[in-house]
Amino acid sequence: ADVKLTSKQINKLHEKMVRGSYSGRMKGARMQHEKRIKRSLKAEGEGIKKIGKLSPREQLIALAALYWGEGSKKRRVLFINNSDPEMIMFLMKCFKNLFGVGKERFILSIGLNEIHRDREDEIKNYWSKLTGIDKNKFRKTIFIKAKNKKSYDNFKHYYGTLRINIKKSIDIYYKMLGLIKGLAEGL
């Protein structure tokens, strides 16, 4: 015989089903998130092991490739921009290791979206602490006026881009162009 349910009973069953379904989706999402983290950490460990310690030649190749993608190539001025703190440190270490560039030769400036103007000092402190270069040695911050007001999910963790210039670097600039040519013809 068919069982007749009241509308109250039907609603109660529906609520249980929705709660159970939501709980299952959340559990599945957590499991997927944990899998992604494990895969990411495994790949990171394998990458570190596979690359190992870079020889001077390997540093030169990496620096040339990064400069090719991110550096100036047209105005006979050596500079490179990036927002990734690890890349900034990598670049500065390569210039030091390969060309003997000391901290006193680095000229740094920050590029910031206009909406971060109130955070300029905080952002200068961030880059100064990272690079070990006194914030008073930074050039004037370049504020970019965006046509549309961009909304940042990571507003408080946005530190703009850092431009690395090197004093008296025309020789290094020409060497970088030569290295880029070597990369282009090296395959």
Side-chain angles (χ1 to χ4, degrees):
D2 288 343
V3 177
K4 297 282 184 189
L5 299 175
T6 66
S7 60
K8 189 175 179 181
Q9 290 172 319
I10 291 171
N11 285 339
K12 202 169 187 176
L13 282 172
H14 185 264
E15 283 176 28
K16 274 187 175 182
M17 183 185 76
V18 168
R19 271 197 311 269
S21 173
Y22 176 78
S23 174
R25 284 194 311 273
M26 291 300 101
K27 184 178 178 182
R30 261 192 315 277
M31 287 171 56
Q32 287 301 319
H33 179 71
E34 288 170 14
K35 274 185 184 178
R36 278 194 303 275
I37 288 172
K38 282 181 184 175
R39 280 195 346 233
S40 174
L41 290 173
K42 182 180 179 198
E44 188 177 287
E46 288 171 356
I48 290 168
K49 189 176 178 180
K50 191 170 197 164
I51 294 289
K53 188 84 173 144
L54 296 179
S55 70
R57 180 176 185 276
E58 292 164 337
Q59 289 178 51
L60 201 60
I61 292 168
L63 179 62
L66 291 171
Y67 196 86
W68 191 2
E70 303 283 336
S72 67
K73 295 169 279 295
K74 300 216 187 246
R75 297 188 320 194
R76 290 192 325 233
V77 177
L78 185 135
F79 68 83
I80 188 165
N81 296 306
N82 205 277
S83 61
D84 182 328
E86 288 181 305
M87 185 179 293
I88 292 295
M89 294 312 299
F90 180 84
L91 292 165
M92 290 179 75
K93 286 175 187 174
C94 284
F95 282 120
K96 178 183 181 273
N97 295 347
L98 299 168
F99 301 107
V101 176
K103 280 187 181 180
E104 72 285 350
R105 285 184 60 198
F106 286 107
I107 304 167
L108 306 178
S109 57
I110 299 167
L112 273 185
N113 188 309
E114 182 72 36
I115 64 173
H116 293 277
R117 185 177 285 276
D118 294 345
R119 296 182 57 232
E120 179 183 9
D121 201 49
E122 170 195 345
I123 291 167
K124 267 190 182 171
N125 286 334
Y126 170 83
W127 288 113
S128 174
K129 184 177 178 184
L130 180 83
T131 62
I133 295 175
D134 190 285
K135 71 178 182 175
N136 296 322
K137 305 250 187 219
F138 282 50
R139 286 209 174 139
K140 187 176 176 181
T141 300
I142 301 157
F143 290 99
I144 300 131
K145 293 178 182 166
K147 289 180 184 172
N148 50 351
K149 300 289 182 203
K150 185 173 179 181
S151 174
Y152 292 89
D153 292 336
N154 62 343
F155 189 89
K156 288 289 185 189
H157 302 286
Y158 170 82
Y159 296 101
T161 59
L162 191 68
R163 173 179 280 190
I164 300 172
N165 287 75
I166 299 174
K167 289 180 194 173
K168 300 176 183 171
S169 62
I170 194 68
D171 288 342
I172 299 172
Y173 171 78
Y174 284 124
K175 286 176 184 177
M176 294 309 300
L177 295 182
L179 291 167
I180 290 168
K181 191 69 171 164
L183 284 177
E185 294 184 9
L187 290 180

